[in-house]
């Protein structure tokens, strides 16, 4: 493959932070390549089928023999009720898709080059009993129901944390670094009630914004940071300290 010295591949169906990820990649001089896939097919597929599906998507973009590439995967950043309506599908995909995607990517990478996998997760499903909420309000209309969605998202991200460490160990022999960045409530994405509830537990006192995301991802993309692998860094204004 020609001109592939600095590729940043963003593998997501429709991430809400793709602009910030693109900015972080371009700030380091990487060409940004967005790859999409069919979620419905993925949810009904086995691990091998998923891996083949990811591999086809990569090969269609002539990404064979990748050198010094960054693959970023944001599996469940959408805010909405779909995670409550299809928990089994979301849970299965949160575990199998990162593994399948990583296997497909690693099969295309050139050994001894600086290739990396970066997972994006949430620090938004904070246990709502730790946050001051009106417990007497209607559950269907209150912040509790919204927080339940985020709590479920965090359970999904628990599997992403384990997957990050598992893949870091297993892909080390291929010289592929695997790390994860997890973000707290995001301005202009999360519901204002959610942001206000977390604001009280945030040391920084403010939600993260797109520029913060871009700056945070910079450490994972930076060619000078070639030693870190198997790490999960949380960018949440200090909420996760409590």
């Amino acid at each position: 493959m020609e001109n592939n010295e600095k590729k940043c591949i963003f593998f997501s169906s429709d991430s809400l932070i793709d602009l910030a990820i693109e900015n972080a990649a371009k700030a380091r001089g990487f060409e940004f390549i967005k790859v999409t896939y069919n979620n419905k097919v993925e949810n009904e597929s086995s691990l091998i089928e998923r891996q083949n599906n990811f591999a086809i998507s990569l090969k269609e973009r002539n990404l064979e023999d990748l050198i010094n590439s960054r693959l970023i995967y944001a599996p469940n950043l959408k805010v909405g009720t779909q995670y409550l309506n299809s928990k089994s599908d979301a849970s299965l995909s949160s575990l199998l898709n990162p593994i399948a995607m990583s296997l497909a990517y690693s099969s295309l990478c050139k050994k001894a080059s600086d290739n990396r996998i970066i997972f994006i997760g949430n620090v938004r499903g904070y246990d709502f009993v730790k946050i001051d909420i009106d417990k007497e309000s209607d559950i269907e209309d209150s912040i509790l129901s919204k927080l339940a969605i985020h709590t479920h998202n965090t359970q999904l991200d628990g599997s992403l944390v384990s997957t990050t460490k598992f893949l870091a160990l297993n892909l080390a022999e291929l010289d592929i670094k695997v790390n994860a960045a997890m973000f707290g409530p995001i301005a202009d994405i999360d519901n204002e009630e959610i942001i206000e509830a977390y604001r009280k537990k945030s040391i920084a006192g403010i939600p993260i914004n797109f520029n913060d995301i871009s700056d945070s991802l910079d450490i994972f993309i930076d060619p000078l940071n070639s030693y870190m692998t198997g790490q999960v860094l949380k960018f949440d204004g200090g909420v996760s300290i409590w």
Side-chain angles (χ1 to χ4, degrees), residues 9-132:
I9 308 155
F10 180 33
F11 223 139
S12 179
S13 57
D14 186 22
S15 173
L16 292 169
I17 63 167
D18 54 349
L19 181 60
I21 293 174
E22 182 175 358
N23 289 341
K26 290 183 176 180
R28 286 293 178 184
F30 283 81
E31 178 185 352
F32 187 82
I33 302 170
K34 187 170 182 179
V35 182
T36 58
Y37 61 93
N38 189 318
N39 271 325
K40 183 176 180 180
V41 172
E42 289 297 321
N43 286 335
E44 298 172 352
S45 301
S46 66
L47 178 61
I48 296 300
E49 290 171 329
R50 292 165 192 256
Q51 180 181 344
N52 291 337
N53 194 9
F54 282 119
I56 290 172
S57 297
L58 289 171
K59 289 178 179 178
E60 285 177 347
R61 288 158 180 79
N62 298 318
L63 295 176
E64 294 88 351
D65 199 21
L66 290 169
I67 303 174
N68 299 335
S69 62
R70 310 286 185 265
L71 190 147
I72 301 179
Y73 182 64
N76 54 25
L77 270 183
K78 285 187 179 180
V79 177
T81 58
Q82 65 268 36
Y83 293 111
L84 293 183
N85 295 334
S86 57
K87 286 185 179 180
S88 59
D89 284 346
S91 298
L92 185 63
S93 291
S94 71
L95 179 62
L96 294 183
N97 278 356
I99 296 176
M101 178 276 302
S102 299
L103 293 175
Y105 170 76
S106 63
S107 68
L108 298 177
C109 291
K110 183 175 180 180
K111 190 172 181 180
S113 60
D114 183 19
N115 295 309
R116 306 182 194 179
I117 296 172
I118 304 153
F119 294 128
I120 307 297
N122 302 327
V123 188
R124 286 183 265 172
Y126 209 68
D127 187 350
F128 50 73
V129 301
K130 297 180 181 178
I131 301 176
D132 297 328

